[in-house]
Amino acid sequence: MKVLVVGGGGREHALIRKIKESKKVDSIACCPGNGGISYDADCYNVSATDIEGVVNLAKEIKADFVVVAPDDPLVAGMVDALNEAGFPTFGPTANAAIIEGSKVFSKDLMLKYNIPTAEYKVFDKAEDVIEYIKEKNEFPTVIKADGLALGKGVIIPESFDEAVAGVKEIMEDKIFGASGNNVVVEEFLTGPEVSVLAFTDGKCVKPMVSSMDHKRALDGDKGLNTGGMGTVSPNPYYTDDIAKECMDKIFIPTIEAMNKEGRTFKGCLYFGLMITPKGPKVIEYNCRFGDPETQVVLPRLKTDIMDIFEAINNETLDDLDIQWSDEACTCVIMASGGYPKSYPKGIEISGLSEGQLEGVTVYHAGTAINDDKLVTSGGRVLGVTALGRDLSEALEKSYKAVNEISFDGAHYRKDIGQRALNALKN
Ligand code: AMP
Ligand code: GLY
């Protein structure tokens, strides 16, 4: 098979490495890819959001299967277009991807089908939001732009003034464009967060191993929100009891709800969960593999990933037994100086050699090759990933590898996995 992967970050690199292991695959293409991906796949300079361009590329290279990884093209209907052109695909159609594309949709879905989530209200006018927040006078509160916003559409103001400023930016200055036409204001929940990615063909749902993201830029969960500064798998807060409760109250009800709405979801559904004192609740759904969750989940997958993708496409997932390794996996993101604010590009990366440490894989997120040199080209640059017998062994390997790699201004969190290790001690 020739498989085309749409996207160009660390998640796509991890997907491509796993697809490369498949006994069914003899070549992999990627668009647009990145510097590191170009060692593993033929990269084409077509944007991941260019639907017509991707359909044409799939035709040109005669792809046998197309995997659409990022949120924007899924929400915009790339899978619909590829299916129409006759390509088997992995990823939801637009009418199902709305579960991530609209927070108002997902909150209303959860309310209608009794799926546990934070209480909320929807607004389309800034003055009404401000009035509501003033009256409620409970801080912190949570304000979310309805549409896609590069993972940055959520603010958690600690005061009324902060809330007013945030609402103004989202609804009046439109820093996220039309995504801010509506906002959801919701109750602030507390508890550890768990990411669960799940394969589903719309008939059954098979959760992957759990993981924990680290969203803030700085140690101790300080600083700005980012796309994710590191991940560990498994997540110790996701006990067998919690997993069962999530299956019964969240995963199956969500799949059934989408079917009842005529929006059958096929692909990877990402459940962002918070384990609150009142049980697990949904913080968000994503219609795709998480980044950097994928980087710690897929290395633990033992089953041929193309068997899974094909089973989902053929709606026969229930017949497939998916196997996972008991090892732990950790990913430390090395980011450009300044990220998540503005950062320089084109900085040379040194100290990186494949297979430098056993069990370590460096997934490339924002790299390019310039004059045969590997340079930075994005905010998140590398995901330094390791498998180990347990979390502490994996973390030790990840950080050992991080210490060997350098580029000017590089920053990374030194405390990835600490919360998970502490949870294991208690
Ligand atoms: P989201 O983009 O929806 O995942 O939100 C980003 C982050 O904001 C989440 O990972 C949580 O840490 C936090 N968050 C979102 N919603 C809530 C909530 N209702 N209560 C507390 N924290 C929240
Ligand atoms: N790591 C969170 C996300 O992929 O949205």
Side-chain angles (χ1 to χ4, degrees):
M1 280 173 103
K2 176 176 249 184
V3 179
L4 170 62
V5 176
V6 178
R11 163 186 53 204
E12 288 76 7
H13 200 188
L15 274 162
I16 284 169
R17 282 294 180 88
K18 192 44 78 171
I19 292 169
K20 217 174 164 180
E21 288 174 17
S22 168
K23 55 187 184 313
K24 292 182 164 166
V25 173
D26 35 47
S27 80
I28 307 175
C30 184
C31 65
N34 64 38
I37 290 175
S38 70
Y39 295 112
D40 294 301
D42 299 321
C43 292
Y44 293 87
N45 193 13
V46 175
S47 157
T49 51
D50 177 358
I51 294 183
E52 204 187 315
V54 168
V55 172
N56 287 338
L57 176 64
K59 286 181 186 161
E60 188 186 309
I61 65 172
K62 299 193 169 60
D64 298 299
F65 201 96
V66 186
V67 178
V68 182
D71 47 1
D72 308 77
L74 290 166
V75 170
M78 185 175 283
V79 165
D80 309 58
L82 285 161
N83 287 345
E84 231 160 78
F87 294 100
T89 50
F90 179 80
T93 50
N95 77 339
I98 191 175
I99 199 165
E100 173 169 5
S102 167
K103 300 257 190 218
V104 175
F105 171 85
S106 68
K107 295 298 288 189
D108 289 349
L109 184 86
M110 289 186 269
L111 181 68
K112 182 169 171 187
Y113 293 95
N114 227 344
I115 297 165
T117 189
E119 281 178 27
Y120 72 105
K121 255 177 115 80
V122 178
F123 297 91
D124 62 3
K125 283 193 196 69
E127 62 261 32
D128 294 348
V129 186
I130 290 165
E131 175 80 33
Y132 173 76
I133 290 172
K134 190 174 190 175
E135 216 158 88
K136 219 160 183 217
N137 196 28
E138 274 172 20
F139 297 96
T141 185
V142 183
I143 304 173
K144 301 185 173 182
D146 177 36
L148 296 180
L150 299 167
K152 294 178 189 151
V154 176
I155 53 168
I156 306 188
E158 303 274 352
S159 68
F160 179 67
D161 290 346
E162 237 181 82
V164 172
V167 169
K168 193 176 161 297
E169 280 186 354
I170 296 175
M171 299 191 85
E172 287 173 1
D173 307 344
K174 300 266 191 226
I175 56 168
F176 307 119
S179 288
N181 288 352
N182 293 294
V183 300
V184 173
V185 178
E186 65 179 39
E187 165 198 18
F188 178 76
L189 299 175
T190 55
E193 290 184 54
V194 179
S195 304
V196 179
L197 317 180
F199 291 116
T200 175
D201 59 357
K203 292 184 168 158
C204 76
V205 54
K206 300 213 171 184
M208 303 179 216
V209 288
S210 63
S211 56
M212 183 192 286
D213 195 3
H214 297 68
K215 286 203 162 102
R216 300 293 199 95
L218 306 175
D219 285 5
D221 289 327
K222 302 248 160 49
L224 295 170
N225 248 321
T226 69
M229 292 298 288
T231 34
V232 301
S233 175
N235 184 326
Y237 291 103
Y238 194 66
T239 60
D240 290 345
D241 285 347
I242 295 282
K244 173 148 194 346
E245 196 176 347
C246 289
M247 193 66 174
D248 295 343
K249 294 187 181 158
I250 297 176
F251 304 159
I252 293 171
T254 301
I255 300 306
E256 288 176 349
M258 291 297 276
N259 286 337
K260 286 193 189 123
E261 295 294 310
R263 296 175 180 275
T264 295
F265 189 103
K266 290 168 72 170
C268 170
L269 184 52
Y270 168 127
F271 297 89
L273 306 168
M274 197 174 265
I275 315 301
T276 76
K278 290 188 191 150
K281 296 194 179 186
V282 177
I283 291 284
E284 64 162 345
Y285 293 114
N286 290 328
C287 65
R288 50 169 175 89
F289 282 100
D291 190 343
E293 283 88 346
T294 307
Q295 289 89 315
V296 290
V297 169
L298 288 189
R300 299 183 57 200
L301 175 64
K302 295 204 283 193
T303 304
D304 188 322
I305 198 167
M306 290 313 299
D307 286 344
I308 301 174
F309 288 172
E310 289 191 310
I312 290 170
N313 194 51
N314 301 330
E315 298 180 16
T316 55
L317 185 61
D318 206 19
D319 302 337
L320 195 68
D321 180 29
I322 300 178
Q323 299 281 335
W324 299 93
S325 98
D326 289 331
E327 287 167 300
C329 193
T330 58
C331 171
V332 177
I333 299 287
M334 296 182 78
S336 295
Y339 175 79
K341 290 198 170 157
S342 65
Y343 50 82
K345 291 183 184 177
I347 311 244
E348 192 174 344
I349 301 168
S350 60
L352 191 61
S353 61
E354 191 54 49
Q356 55 200 156
L357 282 169
E358 207 217 309
V360 173
T361 306
V362 180
Y363 296 118
H364 291 233
T367 68
I369 295 169
N370 258 358
D371 296 333
D372 283 338
K373 284 190 196 126
L374 189 71
V375 299
T376 65
S377 69
R380 291 188 291 176
V381 179
L382 301 168
V384 184
T385 306
L387 282 163
R389 274 185 311 246
D390 54 24
L391 279 179
S392 42
E393 188 184 278
L395 282 167
E396 206 181 299
K397 284 198 216 169
S398 277
Y399 277 110
K400 200 165 165 211
V402 164
N403 284 332
E404 291 179 11
I405 302 168
S406 60
F407 51 91
D408 275 352
H411 78 91
Y412 58 89
R413 278 181 60 163
K414 318 271 185 307
D415 66 344
I416 300 302
Q418 282 311 313
R419 186 162 186 196
L421 286 178
N422 289 340
L424 288 170
K425 278 188 209 134
N426 297 327

